[in-house]
Amino acid sequence: MKVLVIGGGAREHALCRSLSLDPDVTALYCAPGNAGIAEVAELHPVDALDGEAVARLAADLGAELVVVGPEAPLVAGVADAVRAVGIPCFGPSGEAAQLEGSKAFAKDVMAGAGVPTARSYVCTTPAEIDAALDAFGAPYVVKDDGLAAGKGVVVTDDVETARAHALGCDRVVIEEFLDGPEVSLFAITDGTTVLPLQPAQDFKRALDGDEGPNTGGMGAYSPLPWADPKLVDEVTQSVLQPTVDELRRRGTPFSGLLYAGLAITSRGVRVIEFNARFGDPETQVVLARLKTPLAGVLLGSANGTLDELPPLKWRDDAAVTVVVASHNYPATPRTGDPIEGLDDVAAQDAPDAYVLHAGTRRDGDTIVSAGGRVLSVTATGKDLAAARERAYTAVARIRLDGSQFRTDIAKKAAEA
């Protein structure tokens, strides 16, 4: 099978790495990719938001499966354009991707499906915003209705900060604060069958101890030793399957990756948000633990044949990912700094630890930073403590001027 992956972040590097290890994949392409992905896939330039350009590239390459990584191309309808030329595509239609593209749409679907979530108001005027903030009180949870690359949410005790964020959005969802730990659970679906993956937990705040501003994610780990063993089955039955069934009932079937961001509250599981694609950095740890070859599962989603696949197989190992970010991230990051030590990790830590590239590019013979989140250092071990140690040993080998990373990824879970 010839596979084309669309995107150029660490999530796409994780997907490409897994696909490159799949014996059924005979050729692997990525567009536009990055400096690290170039080691496992053939790179091609493309505007990832231009569905016709992506479909044309897929046809020219003879791709038999296209995997769309990021949310913006999905919301823009890139998967529709690929399917229109007769090529199987992993990823929802533009209409179904509104589950991530619009918080208000997601709330409406959850209401129709009977999925437990936070009470909320959709606001478009200052008066509505003030009324909603007043109704819920602190902590205030304010979400931009549209795509914001993981940075459109403000959680604060300060009403003026909450109000300022809300006023800066065209349409905003203000909701009650959900207590309890957060869990990310992915499921691969073909619009009917739902195949849950293993849960993970990510770390959204920039600094240790969950301090600092929200980011796209500074690290993740899997499995979750503290979680109820029945969690995956419970969420599949109460959240994932009802959502897929509701979207099909509405005439907007969802195939691809359904991501549920969950809060395990004192009143039970509640959905914080849905995403329409693999999460970053959770994908890095979930795929590190997946034993089943990936390409056939993604093709089963694209072709509507997931019910014919055997159950997924998982490694017993734990996995930890630590994100190395640029100077000043998540504000305007500094780019163009050389990255050193990547060869040292490959020589001394592989295969137990490896580096997945996010914001990188090649400048002559040097790999330099090209974004906010630059690298995802991923490691596996017999338990979280072992995986953590390997991940941070590898991080210590990397040199990137002004870079930052959290030192407490998976720390509490490893010590529990």
Side-chain angles (χ1 to χ4, degrees), residues 97-118:
Q98 285 301 311
L99 199 63
E100 176 169 5
S102 166
K103 305 287 189 298
F105 175 79
K107 288 289 187 184
D108 190 54
V109 170
M110 284 188 264
V115 167
T117 185

Side-chain angles (χ1 to χ4, degrees), residues 39 339-350 355 357 362 365 367 397-399:
E39 295 174 13
I339 303 166
E340 299 176 341
L342 297 173
D343 292 341
D344 297 340
V345 176
Q348 299 183 58
D349 302 304
V355 179
H357 291 230
R362 189 169 278 283
D365 292 335
I367 292 175
R397 300 192 203 281
I398 294 166
R399 296 175 296 286

Side-chain angles (χ1 to χ4, degrees), residues 6-9 11-12 48 67-75 100 276-278:
I6 302 301
R11 163 188 44 227
E12 288 75 36
V67 179
V68 182
E71 60 273 24
L74 291 168
V75 172
E100 176 169 5
R277 40 72 195 180
F278 278 103

Side-chain angles (χ1 to χ4, degrees), residues 49 88-89 137 144 146 165 200 218 231 244 275 287 346 355 362 366 376-377 401 413-414:
L49 296 175
C89 186
D144 190 333
H165 181 64
M218 294 299 290
L231 177 68
V244 168
N275 291 333
L287 291 185
V355 179
R362 189 169 278 283
T366 308
S376 282
V377 180
D401 188 47

Side-chain angles (χ1 to χ4, degrees), residues 204 255 271 274 280 282 291 319:
K204 280 278 187 281
S255 73
V271 175
F274 282 126
D280 182 346
E282 300 98 321
K291 197 185 281 189

Side-chain angles (χ1 to χ4, degrees), residues 204-228:
K204 280 278 187 281
R205 300 283 187 167
L207 307 175
D208 283 8
D210 292 327
E211 300 287 334
N214 256 356
T215 71
M218 294 299 290
Y221 69 93
S222 179
L224 313 181
W226 48 267
D228 187 327

Side-chain angles (χ1 to χ4, degrees), residues 28 32 44 92-93 144 147 153 198 285 304 357 391 394 412:
L28 182 58
H44 291 267
S93 66
D144 190 333
L147 289 181
V153 180
Q198 289 290 304
V285 291
H357 291 230
K412 273 188 194 166

